[in-house]
Amino acid sequence: MKKLYFSTFLPGLEKPVEAMLHKEGGVVVERVLRGAALYRSVREPVLPYVHQTFTVLFQMKPVADVNDAVKRLLATGGWLDRFPYEETQGKRFRIVTAQEDKLVSANMRYIDMLETAICEHTGMRTYRERPDVELWVLCRPEASYFLWRIGKRSAARQDGQLRSDVCAVMSFLSQCGAKNAAILGCMETALPAALKAGGVRTLTCVCPDRASARMISDKVGGVRVCEGSSGYTDLADDSQSAVLLFLAAKSEKTERTESDLRNALFEARRILADGGRLLVLAPLTHAESTLRKTQGIRMMARFDLTLSGQRCALWVMTPKTEEDE
């Protein structure tokens, strides 16, 4: 029997996430929303390209706020039939209330009533500090949801580091499975790890300093790591099926960073094989005008994102052919 699931991801990545879901065996996509997807699956999904995943216990029409959603749950009760009772005995739970992508507080009188109903019918008990289960009341423009969160919470991410789910999407878009790929200006481990998980044949990480090179060598196995400029590598012409560049959202824009980006793009074009893919994830202020002026590459797709509060984009490009020229 296929259960209904709800997964969230970075808004702006709807098209690639939908394509990835369609490639999953036993999954039927019902609806892709801004930053979220509703789908049915024959098994509990483990999807590296989404941020959080939930089992859907109940769907409601849109309501004004989380208090109205909780009151609707208290008045309905049909959601109790959808609890996975084989997983509830002895479990500790807490209720999380959210309005779109922000956690918000709710009237504690209503929350206490909902907690009491859940305890009486499921055998679970409330424990808000370190629960085994999180039950989410989520209000979104298209509907409100009562959800059972599955999977572990992701580890804390250092400021400026890429989210692992975004890296998984970049790996998919690079189409580098069983091929050669390079990351220019590599300073973190999430993107190399995602490309390795995606089945890359050989991966070269060009790091700007010794500390980054040592960290990646220590934490990501089976990767060729070299220290040097992104604009001048020892890689052969037309040798890479994918080249990836990432500029941190909070990096400072200077003449040097613009020059470095131009040089990296020129080098990426040199080492990229015909039909290969160039992916650039960067703040719009840093990269948009530079990419527009870059010769020899053709735009395939652009996904506008917000990272660390900054307007960014993920560009997917390929070398121009004689016909394009």
Side-chain angles (χ1 to χ4, degrees):
M1 178 181 173
K2 290 183 177 179
K3 290 184 179 180
L4 185 62
Y5 294 94
F6 181 93
S7 289
T8 63
F9 49 85
L10 191 66
L13 295 178
E14 288 77 15
K15 286 187 176 180
V17 168
E18 182 174 10
M20 296 170 86
L21 282 170
H22 280 300
K23 286 182 174 291
E24 297 285 343
V27 168
V28 176
V29 179
E30 289 206 348
R31 194 176 179 193
V32 176
L33 312 158
R34 176 168 169 75
L38 274 167
Y39 55 95
R40 295 189 181 275
S41 176
V42 295
R43 65 185 70 85
E44 185 174 290
V46 180
L47 308 176
Y49 48 88
V50 301
H51 183 48
Q52 297 189 101
T53 294
F54 306 84
T55 302
V56 178
L57 299 174
F58 194 62
Q59 288 189 72
M60 300 169 271
K61 292 181 179 179
V63 294
D65 55 31
V66 292
N67 288 325
D68 284 348
V70 174
K71 287 190 285 186
R72 175 76 187 277
L73 288 170
L74 290 168
T76 306
W79 44 269
L80 286 165
D81 296 334
R82 299 187 181 94
F83 263 82
Y85 285 97
E86 67 280 2
E87 300 178 31
T88 61
Q89 294 304 310
K91 291 287 180 70
R92 304 172 298 181
F93 77 96
R94 71 175 169 203
I95 293 172
V96 178
T97 48
Q99 190 84 31
E100 296 193 52
D101 60 349
K102 291 183 174 60
L103 299 181
V104 297
S105 58
N107 186 311
M108 286 309 299
R109 184 167 67 90
Y110 300 144
I111 295 295
D112 288 341
M113 293 169 66
L114 185 57
E115 288 174 341
T116 299
I118 292 168
C119 291
E120 289 176 350
H121 287 86
T122 67
M124 293 198 293
R125 63 185 188 277
T126 307
Y127 192 71
R128 295 171 185 160
E129 296 300 318
R130 292 185 299 277
D132 304 307
V133 175
E134 284 185 355
L135 301 174
W136 283 53
V137 179
L138 173 62
C139 294
R140 287 176 51 98
E142 77 282 349
S144 293
Y145 305 92
F146 190 38
L147 307 166
W148 174 298
R149 189 179 184 281
I150 61 177
K152 295 180 179 179
R153 282 200 167 275
S154 55
R157 181 172 46 91
Q158 293 182 355
D159 193 34
Q161 297 287 302
L162 263 178
R163 281 172 33 172
S164 60
D165 55 323
V166 176
C167 292
V169 173
M170 292 179 69
S171 174
F172 172 77
L173 291 171
S174 72
Q175 295 188 352
C176 65
K179 300 175 183 176
N180 300 336
I183 304 173
L184 303 184
C186 187
M187 298 178 65
E188 49 91 44
T189 59
L191 188 52
L195 292 172
K196 288 290 292 180
V200 65
R201 182 172 61 198
T202 61
L203 177 61
T204 301
C205 296
V206 181
C207 303
D209 53 61
R210 186 168 299 176
S212 299
R214 184 180 299 115
M215 176 187 66
I216 292 165
S217 294
D218 291 343
K219 294 187 177 180
V220 186
V223 172
R224 177 177 179 257
V225 178
C226 54
E227 180 187 345
S229 168
S230 297
Y232 306 96
T233 72
D234 64 354
L235 294 166
D237 292 358
D238 309 324
S239 61
Q240 306 299 307
S241 292
V243 178
L244 299 94
L245 278 163
F246 164 56
L247 296 182
K250 292 188 175 181
S251 59
E252 185 179 356
K253 182 183 179 182
T254 64
E255 289 185 9
R256 175 67 183 273
T257 58
E258 287 188 276
S259 174
D260 287 348
L261 177 59
R262 285 195 298 270
N263 290 337
L265 289 169
F266 185 83
E267 181 69 358
R269 178 63 189 89
R270 180 186 70 80
I271 64 177
L272 197 60
D274 289 344
R277 291 197 167 190
L278 169 61
L279 271 69
V280 177
L281 178 57
L284 293 179
T285 53
H286 289 39
E288 189 169 28
S289 62
T290 303
L291 285 170
R292 194 182 300 121
K293 298 171 186 175
T294 301
Q295 297 181 349
I297 56 174
R298 176 173 59 84
M299 195 70 62
M300 299 178 67
R302 167 178 160 167
F303 307 100
D304 290 299
L305 314 169
T306 299
L307 295 171
S308 301
Q310 302 292 318
R311 292 178 63 224
C312 300
L314 171 59
W315 291 270
V316 183
M317 296 160 281
T318 191
K320 284 185 176 179
T321 63
E322 290 184 1
E323 291 181 2
D324 293 327
E325 298 288 355

